[in-house]
Amino acid sequence: MTATADAPTQTRQFRLPDLGEGLTESEIVSWRVGVGDTVQLNQVIGEVETAKAVVELPSPFTGRVTALLAEPGQVVAVGAPIAEFEVAAGASAKREPNLVGYGAMPEAAGRPARKARSWATAAPAAMHAATEPAAVNAATEPAAVHATTVPAAEPATAPPAERPRSTPPVRKLAKDLGVDLAVVHGSGPKGLVTRDDVLAEVGTPPSPEAGDRETRIPVQGVRKQTAAAMVASAFTAPHASEFLTVDVTPTMELLAKLKASKAFADVRLTPMTLAAKAVLVALRRHPSLNARWDEKAQEIVQYHYVNLGFAAATPRGLLVPNVKDAEVLGLRELAAAIAGVVDAAREGRIAPSDLTGGTITITNIGVFGVDAGTPILNPGEAAILAMGQVRRMPWEYRGDIALREVLTLSLSFDHRIVDGEQASRFLADVGAILGDPGMVMTMV
């Protein structure tokens, strides 16, 4: 209930919630309200972007917005105040809700200590490739609301000073050079501290103006997380790769029949769908590829379920959403699930939980007209399969040369977990199914 003109009021601050996954800062994407607007409890008031996804922020109060303390494009530390509300004075604790799923947050607005995390739950990796399809709610692991109360009759306490505006690379440079950003004058837009500002503080000549000949793009959010995950994966897991070229004409014919059938009339079926089903069948015979390496325990952890990931190129960078317990889904359900998570990732509404916990990944580089490649493992997984372009080309068929639909499969695997024989047999099984879908009858 909002305060009336005659009722006493108080000011409440909304601090940036801890969105989980060890994240310590987020970028304000947009505000859906303005100063003076009246909002209800849990009404969406804005969006923030983390290294995982774009997340909606619900209002922790019913009242009137009196200040928005961060601008779109600004990177804000977890715990820093981002908005103020005027609410009825004397509200009981029951009217100051903890948003469901939100974790604890520091009272101070300073940067919290980073949580320990493993690369098994880091942001996705894999080749820069798109896949087919996806629809998952932007549910996240939000955060408890910490509010400071200021009686309306007294002057509002000034919010804690925020750190100077800068990008993560610039903050790292300043730390390496021993520069206190608080004393640096920012020459960038709206006082943003730039790389040249930091270099000038230590007497290093700024970089020459490049004019229109080059553009510097700050690496942050998903792209920053992906880059870090790729480096970690490439230098911690001994990658090995194998390739298999297959005549998939029977699979393409089956795909056409399924699309024409009433049973699949409202389902998005693609070559990726059938390849995913082939992978799930092959994993039953070769479970060693559905595993991870536990570095601390020096053990192989083999999964008894399959959270099948799909590398998706999105406007925010590479994401790898995964379909949970994919091994129990029928073809129709699998197709819908793939379409759901990939579409959600591309539209920026994927839940962080759908970007973690994957056990094996498929990436479709064929959509770019590419035949083969050596994909990098998604951290914490033992294998990744890349699908190339399905090409119509001359092929040996029944003792003669004919035009056939041909596909190259590329498999990368962690050689600590998977031996060459295991990987080869798995890849051969996937190829056998795609070359003749009826082979599934001999494998289940």
Side-chain angles (χ1 to χ4, degrees), residues 4 119 158 217 236 254 340 354 375 386 428:
T4 65
W119 285 111
I217 302 174
T236 57
L254 173 62
D354 289 318

Side-chain angles (χ1 to χ4, degrees), residues 31-35 37-39 43-46 65 68 85:
W31 289 110
R32 297 189 186 179
V33 296
V35 174
D37 289 351
T38 298
V39 298
Q43 174 183 336
V44 175
I45 60 174
V65 179
L68 298 176
F85 299 83

Side-chain angles (χ1 to χ4, degrees), residues 160 167 209 238 353:
T167 61
E209 290 294 331
S353 60

Side-chain angles (χ1 to χ4, degrees), residues 22-336:
L23 304 175
T24 59
E25 62 186 14
S26 298
E27 178 182 338
I28 303 297
V29 174
S30 65
W31 289 110
R32 297 189 186 179
V33 296
V35 174
D37 289 351
T38 298
V39 298
Q40 300 299 315
L41 175 67
N42 289 330
Q43 174 183 336
V44 175
I45 60 174
E47 296 177 321
V48 297
E49 180 178 15
T50 71
K52 298 286 187 181
V54 174
V55 179
E56 294 181 334
L57 288 179
S59 171
F61 308 111
T62 292
R64 186 174 65 87
V65 179
T66 57
L68 298 176
L69 306 177
E71 301 176 356
Q74 181 176 345
V75 177
V76 181
V78 169
I82 57 175
E84 289 183 352
F85 299 83
E86 183 182 64
V87 301
S92 66
K94 293 181 180 179
R95 296 178 59 189
E96 299 172 9
N98 282 341
L99 303 186
V100 176
Y102 278 28
M105 178 165 45
E107 293 295 337
R111 184 184 183 92
R114 180 175 291 275
K115 300 176 183 176
R117 60 190 303 207
S118 69
W119 285 111
T121 57
M127 293 186 67
H128 286 270
T131 67
E132 278 79 12
V136 173
N137 237 336
T140 62
E141 298 174 354
V145 176
H146 286 254
T148 55
T149 304
V150 183
E154 300 178 8
T157 303
E162 297 183 15
R163 62 180 174 183
R165 294 186 60 228
S166 61
T167 61
V170 171
R171 290 198 291 273
K172 183 179 186 304
L173 175 65
K175 180 179 179 181
D176 293 343
L177 296 178
V179 174
D180 181 2
L181 288 177
V183 302
V184 178
H185 173 71
S187 63
K190 298 181 180 179
L192 182 74
V193 177
T194 67
R195 176 185 178 86
D196 288 347
D197 295 334
V198 174
L199 293 176
E201 190 69 21
V202 295
T204 303
S207 56
E209 290 294 331
D212 296 331
R213 300 187 63 184
E214 65 181 39
T215 300
R216 291 182 178 269
I217 302 174
V219 179
Q220 57 189 26
V222 170
R223 294 188 185 278
K224 179 180 179 181
Q225 198 76 1
T226 299
M230 288 296 85
V231 172
S233 177
F235 288 97
T236 57
H239 286 58
S241 298
E242 294 185 346
F243 307 88
L244 178 64
T245 302
V246 183
D247 175 2
V248 294
T249 305
T251 287
M252 300 306 291
E253 292 172 347
L254 173 62
L255 185 63
K257 290 179 181 178
L258 292 175
K259 287 183 175 181
S261 70
K262 292 183 179 180
F264 291 89
D266 59 343
V267 177
R268 188 191 307 172
L269 286 175
T270 67
M272 170 70 77
T273 313
L274 300 186
K277 194 62 177 177
V279 166
L280 293 170
V281 172
L283 283 176
R284 295 182 186 178
R285 291 158 57 91
H286 311 285
S288 63
L289 282 89
N290 190 47
R292 68 177 174 86
W293 178 266
D294 186 331
E295 179 64 30
K296 184 176 181 180
Q298 292 292 292
E299 294 176 340
I300 294 173
V301 179
Q302 194 167 101
Y303 302 110
H304 300 300
Y305 58 90
V306 183
N307 290 347
L308 189 57
F310 299 89
T314 77
R316 300 174 54 239
L318 183 69
L319 295 176
V320 187
N322 62 79
V323 173
K324 300 294 192 291
D325 299 315
E327 79 284 0
V328 302
L329 301 179
L331 185 61
R332 180 184 173 86
E333 293 75 23
L334 180 62

